[in-house]
Amino acid sequence: MNLDVVILAAGQGTRMRSRLPKVLQPLAGRPLLAHVMDMAAGLTAARLHVVYGHGGDQVPARFPDRQVSWVEQPEQLGTGHAVEQAMPGIADDASVLVLYGDVPLVRPETADSLIEAATRGVALLTVRMDDPTGYGRIVRDRDGRVTSIVEQKDADEDERSIDEVNTGLMAAPADRLRDWLSRLDDANAQGEFYLTDIVALAVADGVPVEAVQAGDAEEVMGVNDKVQLAEAEAAVRRRRVEELMRQGATVADPGRIDVRGQVTCGQDVFLDVGVVLEGEVRLDDRAHVGPYCVVRDSHVGEDAVIHPHSVVEGAGVGAACSVGPFARLRPGAQLETGAKVGNFVEVKNSRLGEGSKANHLSYVGDTTVGRDTNIGAGTITCNYDGANKHRTVIGDRVFIGSGVELVAPVEVEEGATIGAGSTISKRAPAETLTVARSRQVSIRGWKRPTKKKT
Ligand code: UD1
Ligand code: CA
């Protein structure tokens, strides 16, 4: 059977108080609508239709690469009218699933059970709420069969006391739906063509209506203002952190961590408070990320430790490496097994070989470092001449003293030692001490100036 998914996204969303159309508001770094489209794309759907309107072309323009049929609803005359706009593109033998662009947390399993129920007639997703105010109520007859949906504004006192509400999500066979939509009218409190009115029409036509209960109220929450947006954000965060914990991560406090990208975790990974993981991040078994670290688009190997307050971006941290506290790994930083980068060290586009160390206050840029090399405190690779970047090459077992400047392009050969305070601009030969600093002099009898009397 063909499945067509219609996502309603034409509404204005006045309560957001924003220049951005509601469905483009960011949730976990992506527009609300992207979450709904991604979930729909994961269903075995024949086609995806998005009904847009308020905000004009801004909405389709935000998704230039999506396989979506964009349907404009120039005037927002109601949810029934919105679905009707998509119907010309849908075949009679299809099944239609209606989703809302501002209901972003629906699980694919829930959508699947609606689709399955729609093989027998009309399927509605409903949920019980402690406070159903504002929602359409599910009206049932004495035998418990659904007979209609009544909107809050059209409901009488008895109907308003019903706590089972319409989430807005439904599924129905296309041919019947097309007929019911054409028979809708706007004789109601809001003067709109309500999608919900197809329920009474289906019942009158003898088509069964099935209410599928949503897992929980959170899954079907609508995002109408910034408060609900923050609630949805917290829910997404909770879900993602739970995924990591299921993969084997120990999380110091699930409420104080942010997972914004695609993160995969090995066993016994530890994530401390205030950690932010963004983009594509891979954390291997027993990797340890300390408090207040940002790790973006990076790979952290087995048993590696990222100490507090470090920023790791576009980097590869090998097994058993140690980074930070207060270290910055920039794109192209590659630390091989057991390498160490300490406090206030910045590494960019550089490889640090196995067991090599830069422990304090250094800048290592555009550099290749061999294995078991020690880079002393305050060492700087001068990689930029004001116009171009140049490389520094440092061999195995090199010892670079403190406060050294390496003026690139330059090479320090294996086993070399560089005296502290040197400015190295020529090749430093292997297994040799190279010192490039002025000699120390002591002047006997020299007098310190004294303050003149006035
Ligand atoms: C709707 C349901 C209500 C349900 C509630 C759940 C109807 C008549 N009512 O009410 O039973 O409890 O959702 O949240 O369906 N939209 C369009 N074009 C329009 C009108 C709306 O695309 O002309 C879109 C909106 O952008 C939104 C969705 O449809 O994504 C729902 O519209 P909204 O006005 O929020 O419906 P509610 O009054 O909340
Ligand atoms: Ca709504």
Side-chain angles (χ1 to χ4, degrees), residues 399-427:
F399 183 92
I400 295 182
S402 297
V404 168
E405 280 139 21
L406 297 160
V407 183
V410 72
E411 179 175 6
V412 180
E413 293 182 345
E414 60 171 35
T417 300
I418 307 295
S422 295
T423 298
I424 301 294
S425 52
K426 292 198 284 279
R427 189 176 61 88

Side-chain angles (χ1 to χ4, degrees), residues 9 21 23-24 33 50 52-63 70:
V23 292
L24 296 187
L33 183 56
V50 180
Y52 71 99
H54 185 81
D57 289 340
Q58 275 187 75
V59 176
R62 185 70 177 69
F63 303 95
W70 294 100

Side-chain angles (χ1 to χ4, degrees), residues 21 27 36 55 65 113 128 209 234 315 319 351 381 384 431 433 452:
L27 173 65
V36 183
D65 304 322
S113 51
R128 291 190 186 279
V209 177
R351 177 180 170 275
T381 55
Y384 186 50
E431 317 292 349
L433 169 66
K452 280 187 192 140

